[in-house]
């Protein structure tokens, strides 16, 4: 223990590591499964893309703004506590948004969680009371009667994730020789009587917006004209707009938490010249996220039928998020926040932006990060939809995310070797190539388990990509601009790209399919990779030196004139003015 608790480095690092673990569990409780919950509400892919794009946009620009405003110790401490409490309460507001199907009612535990949209059967009624079945065999009539009886018994408790018109067992959907289709919407449903069901063609049409016949991306759960985007004006006012308001309010409260905490810890360590230990904490959040995403998925599988709550089963995600946020409050009250205020302003967004505009290498890197954010958002938003259409459960989805995170942690010891052998340019190309291959693989999924091998590539695509970006920023940044540049690339550029990708991806998934969406992302990344590798080596190279080495030279107590001349040359070279003739001759 240090004599002064304000500068107890070991305790500060322990608390910061624990806080990152808790934040990882908190984020994993709901963020990966949020689009699944929106799908359970009945929202089509374009509207889910708009919601997620707005959420990314708020996070990209609101968090840096709050970090600039919160400079004093009381403000930061209040922001940490207020963000945890406020986001916990705001997340529960999403549960007040009603599903598009007004008669969804309580969830049913009889159907079981294994029901998937890919195995659903469309059922409806005809209006003609005396309508008779077509001439079919006795076995087919018996099947229709027994199926009608099962629907009557389950009418009070429809399946948790299917609209009122999407019920039935998975096995029946596979073996039934007929598919029961709905009549025109807007007509009053007839009673369940003999002859009220109509048996039609057995063909399974290929519908845009998803890979499954009856997936929520393909069918509208609202009555009346749903238009081209799968949402009626009534559904827009009833579900989409309340969901948009609640998600924006939630993100406004939750977004500043991690950036403010990270800035506080860095400044705390900077006072005692221990900022090198700040980098040792990066893995704790990944480990917390991996544990949280598997834990909440297992909890949903176990407690879904025990909660007896109305609405979709995804309510467990929000309850878990709120609970972990409350549990993180004691950690936030002892989080290391420096009491003294820094002399120089830390809000350097405009300076970082001007630095990017003036350096073509940084500009090319910014465009790369923007495109990566746009393409990655399609995976984050709709990959679980794709897996659900192939019969995957939430536990498998959570395990797939954890597999990629753990792979990145295990690959990190080889970071220096990879950057040395391949160079920063080669490592960046490797990351882009692996990400492009991932997207192509996702478009060819054939079963729920087939996604797991591709998650091994995510460790290389995400890890190698950001290692190369971080090394390039350290080399190209001017003194004191490394962190502002890194925050801008991860926030503004990556978040802005994720926002645009979400907006566009939802419409592509609706009008084409998820497979086409991933193939388009693969093509975009492949073309940009070829352009990047051809343009980047032709950009002018300016000689720069490592500022850490420069500090070592300046700290040496040498008095030799030759070493003093060498030090002066290093200072001039670090300022980018080594091209002058007088300096070159002196060196």
């Amino acid at each position: 223990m240090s004599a002064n608790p304000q500068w107890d480095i070991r305790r500060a690092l322990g608390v910061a590591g624990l806080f990152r673990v808790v934040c990882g569990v908190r984020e994993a409780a709901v963020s990966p499964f949020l689009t699944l919950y929106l799908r359970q509400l009945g929202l089509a892919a374009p509207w889910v893309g708009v919601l997620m794009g707005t959420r990314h946009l708020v996070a990209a620009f609101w968090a840096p703004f709050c970090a600039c405003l919160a400079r004093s110790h009381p403000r930061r401490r209040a922001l940490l506590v207020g963000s945890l409490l406020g986001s916990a309460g705001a997340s529960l507001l999403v549960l007040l948004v009603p599903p598009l199907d007004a008669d969804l009612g309580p969830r049913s535990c009889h159907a079981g969680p294994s029901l998937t949209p890919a195995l659903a059967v469309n059922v409806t009624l005809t209006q003609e009371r005396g309508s008779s079945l077509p001439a079919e065999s006795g076995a087919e009539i018996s099947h229709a009667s027994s199926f009608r009886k099962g629907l009557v018994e389950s009418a009070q408790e429809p399946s948790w994730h299917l609209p009122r018109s999407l019920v039935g067992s998975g096995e029946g959907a596979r073996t039934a020789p007929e598919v029961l289709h709905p009549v025109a919407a807007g007509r009053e449903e007839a009673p369940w009587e003999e002859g009220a069901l109509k048996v039609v063609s057995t063909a399974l049409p290929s519908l845009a917006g998803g890979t499954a016949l009856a997936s929520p991306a393909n069918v509208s759960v609202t009555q009346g004209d749903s238009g081209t985007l799968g949402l009626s004006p009534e559904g827009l006012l009833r579900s989409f707009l309340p969901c948009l308001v609640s998600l924006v309010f939630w993100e406004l409260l939750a977004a500043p938490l991690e950036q403010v905490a990270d800035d506080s810890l860095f400044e705390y360590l900077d006072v005692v010249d221990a900022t090198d230990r700040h980098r040792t904490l990066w893995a704790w959040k990944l480990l917390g996220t991996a544990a949280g995403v598997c834990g909440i998925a297992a909890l949903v599988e176990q407690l879904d039928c025990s909660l007896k709550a109305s609405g979709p089963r995804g309510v467990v995600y929000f309850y878990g998020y709120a609970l972990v946020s409350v549990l993180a409050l004691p950690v936030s009250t002892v989080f290391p926040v420096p009491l003294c205020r820094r002399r120089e302003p830390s809000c350097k967004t405009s300076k970082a932006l001007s630095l990017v505009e003036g350096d073509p290498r940084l500009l090319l890197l910014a465009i790369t990060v923007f495109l990566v954010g746009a393409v990655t958002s399609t995976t984050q938003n709709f990959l679980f939809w794709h897996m659900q259409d192939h019969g995957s459960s939430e536990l498998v989805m959570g395990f797939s995310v954890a597999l990629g995170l753990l792979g990145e942690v295990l690959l990190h010891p080889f970071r220096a070797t990879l950057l040395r052998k391949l160079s920063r340019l080669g490592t960046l190309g490797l990351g882009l190539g692996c990400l492009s291959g991932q997207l192509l693989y996702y478009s060819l999924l054939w079963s729920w388990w087939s996604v797991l091998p591709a998650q091994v590539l995510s460790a290389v695509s995400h890890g190698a990509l950001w290692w190369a970006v971080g090394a390039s920023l350290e080399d190209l940044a001017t003194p004191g601009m490394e962190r502002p540049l890194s925050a801008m690339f991860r926030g503004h550029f990556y978040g802005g790209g994720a926002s645009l990708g979400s907006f566009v991806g939802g419409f592509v998934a609706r009008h084409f399919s998820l497979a086409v969406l991933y193939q388009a992302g693969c093509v975009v990344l492949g073309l940009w990779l070829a352009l990047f590798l051809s343009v980047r080596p032709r950009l002018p190279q300016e000689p720069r030196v490592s500022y850490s080495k420069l500090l070592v030279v300046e700290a040496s107590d040498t008095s030799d004139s030759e070493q003093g001349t060498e030090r002066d040359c290093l200072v001039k070279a670090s300022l980018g003015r080594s091209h002058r003739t007088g300096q070159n001759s002196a060196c």
Side-chain angles (χ1 to χ4, degrees):
M1 279 289 183
S2 173
N4 186 358
Q6 166 66 11
W7 312 123
D8 192 345
I9 304 302
R10 181 176 298 179
R11 175 180 175 273
L13 291 175
V15 173
L18 179 60
F19 187 77
R20 291 198 176 194
V21 170
V22 176
C23 285
V25 175
R26 172 177 175 266
E27 183 178 346
V30 68
S31 293
F33 304 99
L34 181 58
T35 55
L36 274 185
Y37 180 80
L38 297 176
R39 192 187 204 190
Q40 293 167 16
L41 292 181
L43 293 174
W47 303 107
V48 173
V50 171
L51 291 174
M52 298 304 296
T54 305
R55 190 167 180 256
H56 286 301
L57 197 63
V58 172
F61 293 93
W62 177 248
F65 177 74
C66 291
C68 290
L69 292 181
R71 302 303 312 140
S72 62
H73 176 275
R75 288 182 181 179
R76 283 183 171 176
R77 186 71 69 189
L79 186 58
L80 290 177
V81 176
S83 179
L84 286 172
L85 281 177
S87 60
S91 64
L92 298 179
L93 294 178
V94 184
L95 301 180
L96 302 179
V97 179
L100 288 179
D101 192 344
D103 301 327
L104 185 61
R107 289 176 293 109
S108 173
C109 296
H110 303 294
S114 61
L115 259 180
T116 61
L119 304 179
V121 179
N122 282 333
V123 181
T124 191
L125 303 172
T126 57
Q127 289 301 307
E128 295 76 16
R129 171 179 290 269
S131 63
S132 59
L133 290 170
E136 301 287 349
S137 65
E140 293 172 345
I141 297 177
S142 175
H143 169 75
S145 300
S146 61
F147 190 71
R148 173 181 55 82
K149 181 179 179 181
L151 290 175
V152 174
E153 293 175 353
S154 61
Q156 300 300 323
E157 286 188 309
S159 178
W160 62 267
H161 69 287
L162 297 178
R164 180 161 43 91
S165 61
L166 303 178
V167 289
S169 66
E171 187 65 22
R174 289 181 180 273
T175 60
E178 311 92 1
V179 177
L180 304 175
H181 284 270
V183 294
R187 301 177 62 181
E188 194 177 50
E189 292 182 352
W192 290 97
E193 298 180 2
E194 195 68 25
L197 293 176
K198 183 179 181 180
V199 182
V200 294
S201 174
T202 62
L204 302 180
S206 176
L207 300 176
T211 59
L213 167 67
S215 66
N218 293 331
V219 292
S220 174
V221 298
T222 56
Q223 293 186 355
D225 185 14
S226 61
T228 59
L229 300 181
L231 193 64
S232 64
E234 180 184 355
L236 181 69
L237 296 175
R238 182 169 170 243
S239 294
F240 173 75
L241 290 182
C243 197
L244 178 63
V245 172
S246 58
L247 284 179
V248 169
F249 181 62
W250 176 21
E251 194 62 33
L252 288 174
L253 294 172
L257 177 67
E258 293 189 28
Q259 182 164 346
V260 171
D262 189 69
D263 290 344
S264 300
L265 177 63
F266 186 84
E267 293 179 13
Y268 182 95
L269 298 175
D270 189 33
V271 176
V272 290
D273 294 332
T275 54
D276 56 322
R277 305 184 67 177
H278 179 268
R279 299 184 179 183
T280 62
L281 300 175
W282 68 273
W284 290 112
K285 184 182 178 182
L286 297 185
L287 295 176
T289 304
V293 74
C294 291
I296 193 64
L299 192 64
V300 168
E301 295 287 343
Q302 295 296 324
L303 299 182
D304 177 54
C305 292
S306 302
L307 294 176
K308 303 298 183 183
S310 61
R313 63 189 283 176
V315 296
V316 183
Y317 306 135
F318 297 91
Y319 291 148
Y321 178 91
L323 178 61
V324 177
S325 298
V326 173
L327 294 178
L329 282 175
V331 186
S332 67
T333 57
V334 295
F335 191 85
V337 178
L339 294 175
C340 57
R341 189 173 182 178
R342 296 184 64 181
R343 296 180 180 177
E344 72 275 6
S346 62
C347 187
K348 302 178 180 179
T349 304
S350 58
K351 187 175 180 181
L353 185 60
S354 63
L355 188 63
V356 173
E357 293 175 350
D359 193 328
R361 293 167 296 175
L362 285 176
L363 185 60
L364 192 66
L365 198 63
I367 298 175
T368 303
V369 172
F370 183 87
L371 290 177
V372 168
V375 172
T376 305
S377 66
T378 62
T379 302
Q380 296 173 344
N381 293 341
F382 301 112
L383 179 60
F384 283 1
W385 287 33
H386 207 35
M387 295 175 66
Q388 189 181 61
D389 291 343
H390 287 85
S392 175
S393 65
E394 283 89 341
L395 188 58
V396 176
M397 299 174 188
F399 180 73
S400 67
V401 174
L403 192 62
L405 296 175
L406 294 177
E408 186 177 347
V409 174
L410 295 176
L411 189 65
H412 188 266
F414 304 97
R415 171 182 179 272
T417 304
L418 193 65
L419 289 173
R420 184 175 64 254
K421 295 292 185 181
L422 298 180
S423 76
R424 292 186 299 272
L425 181 61
T427 305
L428 186 63
L430 176 64
L432 289 175
C434 289
L435 182 57
S436 178
Q438 260 186 281
L439 293 171
L440 180 61
Y441 185 93
Y442 290 151
S443 67
L444 304 175
L445 290 184
W446 62 91
S447 179
W448 59 266
W449 59 266
S450 59
V451 73
L452 299 179
Q455 295 306 102
V456 179
L457 285 177
S458 67
V460 181
S461 61
H462 188 270
L465 182 67
W466 284 110
W467 296 341
V469 170
S472 299
L473 293 180
E474 289 179 1
D475 181 64
L476 298 175
T478 56
M481 293 302 298
E482 294 88 350
R483 283 181 56 80
L485 266 180
S486 179
M488 173 170 285
F489 271 73
R490 290 183 177 270
H492 293 78
F493 295 137
Y494 184 82
S499 177
L500 179 63
S502 298
F503 289 143
V504 176
F507 288 92
V508 174
R510 172 71 182 182
H511 293 288
F512 298 96
S513 68
L514 293 178
V516 172
L517 176 63
Y518 292 133
Q519 291 168 2
C522 174
V523 171
V524 169
L525 278 185
L527 293 176
W528 177 252
L529 176 60
L531 180 63
F532 181 85
L533 294 178
S534 61
V535 172
R536 179 62 179 82
R538 292 179 171 84
L539 294 179
Q541 303 292 327
E542 296 182 7
R544 293 183 184 270
V545 297
S546 173
Y547 291 101
S548 59
K549 296 179 181 179
L550 179 60
L551 293 176
V552 173
V553 174
E554 290 180 342
S556 62
D557 54 349
T558 177
S559 61
D560 187 66
S561 60
E562 182 179 354
Q563 293 180 354
T565 304
E566 181 182 358
R567 182 170 66 251
D568 293 338
C569 291
L570 288 173
V571 173
K572 294 174 183 178
S574 67
L575 297 177
R577 295 177 295 182
S578 61
H579 59 279
R580 294 183 179 179
T581 306
Q583 295 175 2
N584 292 336
S585 60
C587 295

